[in-house]
Every structure is written in C-alpha cells, then in structure tokens.
Amino acid sequence: MTTTQRIDLNADLGESYGPWQMGDDAAMLALVSSANVACGGHAGDPDTMAATLAAAKARGVTIGAHPGYPDREGFGRRVIPMAPDQIARMVACQIGSLLGAAALAGVRVAYVKPHGALANLAADNADVARAIARAVRAVSGDLAVLAISGTALEPAADAAGLAVFSEIFADRAYLPDGRLQPRSQAGAVIDDPGMAAARLLRFLDSGRMEVAGGGSIPLAAHSICVHGDSPHAVAMASRIRGTLTAAGIALAPFAA
C-alpha cells in the first residue's frame, strides 16, 4: 500500500419516511465521502430528501441518487415484476425527484446507484441493466453510475456513454461468482467492524475479495459501501475509516 492510494466510502442514507426513522444519517455523514440518497421508491419522501441533501451539503459529502423498487414494506429488497421500459421510467422519475429536491437545496447530484433487489437484478440481467443506464442517460449524461463490481450494469452504463465506477461491500459476504451472498443465508451480513475492516485491508492490498467457502476472486473497486440501515452502521463506518486512514489510504469521493 502507498500513501497515494484512495478509495471512496459510501452509505445508503435518507431512508426514513414520514415519522418512521431509519439509521443515524447525521453520524454517518460525518464518516462517509459519498451518500446514496433514497428517491422515494423503497424509502424517502420530499422532506427526508431535503433534510438529507442539506446535511450532506453541510458536511461536503458527494451526493448520489439511490432509486429502487417502490416497495416500502419490503425495503426494496423484493423484485417487483416489471418490463425493462417500466424500470427505465421508474428509475428516471425517481432520479428526477431527487434532482428537484437538490435544485431547491442548491446541491449537485453526481451519480446514480440502484438499490437492493433492483441492483441485484441488474447485476445479471442485461436488459434491466440497459434500462437503468438508459434512464440515467436520458435524465442527464453528466450523471455517473455506481455499479456492483463485476456485474452487467458496468458494461451497460459504459455502452450508454456514462462514467462508470465500481463498488464493493464492507458488510456483505460474497459468493464465488462475485455476487452477494443472499441475506437469507447464514453469514451473509458481516456485523463485526473489526472483521470487515481487516477484510477490506486484505482486499485493497491484493485486489482479491474473499468468498464464502474459502478462496478469493478479483474485483475492481472505486468505492466501499456500508449499509446505513444496519444497527452496526456507525460503528462499522467509523472502524473502517480509522483503519484505512491509519494504513495510509485516503478517503475521497469517486465523483467530485
């Protein structure tokens, strides 16, 4: 490792809705360099979006749109059967909602990162990946795409002429094919901050991600995600930030 190595640390934020509160956004915004803000699909509403954007602006945190299936009860973690054109319209409208709130707040939205089941589906379904990329491009070609590393969304966004960045997950286990281990399986969620930070250091040193069952696979990464809805999110992000900084790795947004 060298002192010039850089990586982004992102979190999914703005996931409250009305009186229902999710996560500690204020604490997370003091730790991350990029914030994926819910756009009213799986979570979020106009007031929550406005508050999250203002808080991110005050902290100098780069902002991304975080569209997902309109499934509040399932937190966007269930696939809703939709044709690719329907997905494109859904994603475009959610991005547009956040852009409207951002215009009022006087902040810039720099990228788009699909949420939950939508992101997982786009990882392997090229039609869904192309629909998402098409929606982003139609809203603004200046928006970048943050995609799960090694998935179909990367080439789809690149083919659409968008800037593409890849992410890995600090708090999720990986399968040998590079996909996230399903949450329904034991060990899929990593809740030990020290274990997660140590795994990230090994990854950044080798470029290889450890997988369930043993072994490792090569992945590219411009950003590391910590899920803001986890009860361990603040402790996880704090430990990772401290560990990486101590190792001489600078935390900086991938999209300025």
Side-chain angles (χ1 to χ4, degrees):
M1 297 176 190
T2 71
T3 55
T4 58
Q5 192 170 3
R6 295 157 58 94
I7 193 76
D8 175 64
L9 184 62
N10 80 74
D12 305 338
L13 303 177
E15 293 183 316
S16 299
Y17 179 63
W20 180 73
Q21 296 296 302
M22 170 62 79
D24 187 346
D25 284 7
M28 291 297 286
L29 284 168
L31 298 168
V32 300
S33 44
S34 295
N36 320 309
V37 182
C39 307
H42 71 285
D45 56 36
D47 289 338
T48 300
M49 282 188 263
T52 307
L53 292 167
K57 178 182 179 181
R59 282 287 185 176
V61 173
T62 296
I63 295 163
H66 198 37
Y69 284 116
D71 173 29
R72 297 186 188 279
E73 293 80 5
F75 202 61
R77 290 178 177 155
R78 302 179 294 190
V79 172
I80 298 177
M82 299 173 73
D85 284 349
Q86 292 176 300
I87 288 175
R89 288 189 288 270
M90 174 188 73
V91 170
C93 287
Q94 287 189 38
I95 296 170
S97 293
L98 189 69
L99 289 178
L104 283 173
V107 297
R108 171 176 169 261
V109 177
Y111 64 94
V112 176
K113 171 189 166 178
H115 168 80
L118 180 62
N120 290 334
L121 186 60
D124 292 308
N125 189 314
D127 289 337
V128 171
R130 285 191 290 266
I132 293 171
R134 185 168 72 253
V136 175
R137 178 72 186 185
V139 173
S140 173
D142 292 332
L143 290 167
V145 170
L146 181 59
I148 300 174
S149 184
T151 64
L153 185 55
E154 292 172 313
D158 183 65
L162 299 165
V164 189
F165 299 90
S166 304
E167 75 169 338
I168 57 171
F169 292 82
D171 49 10
R172 292 294 306 279
Y174 280 80
L175 297 174
D177 64 358
R179 301 301 177 259
L180 299 179
Q181 185 174 349
R183 287 177 178 268
S184 59
Q185 297 179 6
V189 177
I190 300 170
D191 56 17
D192 184 323
M195 181 184 300
R199 185 183 71 156
L200 287 172
L201 277 183
R202 292 192 294 272
F203 168 80
L204 292 171
D205 192 44
S206 67
R208 300 186 66 87
M209 176 61 70
E210 296 161 12
V211 299
S216 62
I217 57 172
L219 290 177
H222 302 97
S223 186
I224 298 165
C225 177
V226 174
H227 284 93
D229 62 288
S230 164
H232 310 282
V234 175
M236 180 76 68
S238 180
R239 182 65 174 269
I240 289 169
R241 184 181 182 92
T243 299
L244 297 187
T245 300
I249 300 168
L251 294 180
F254 61 87

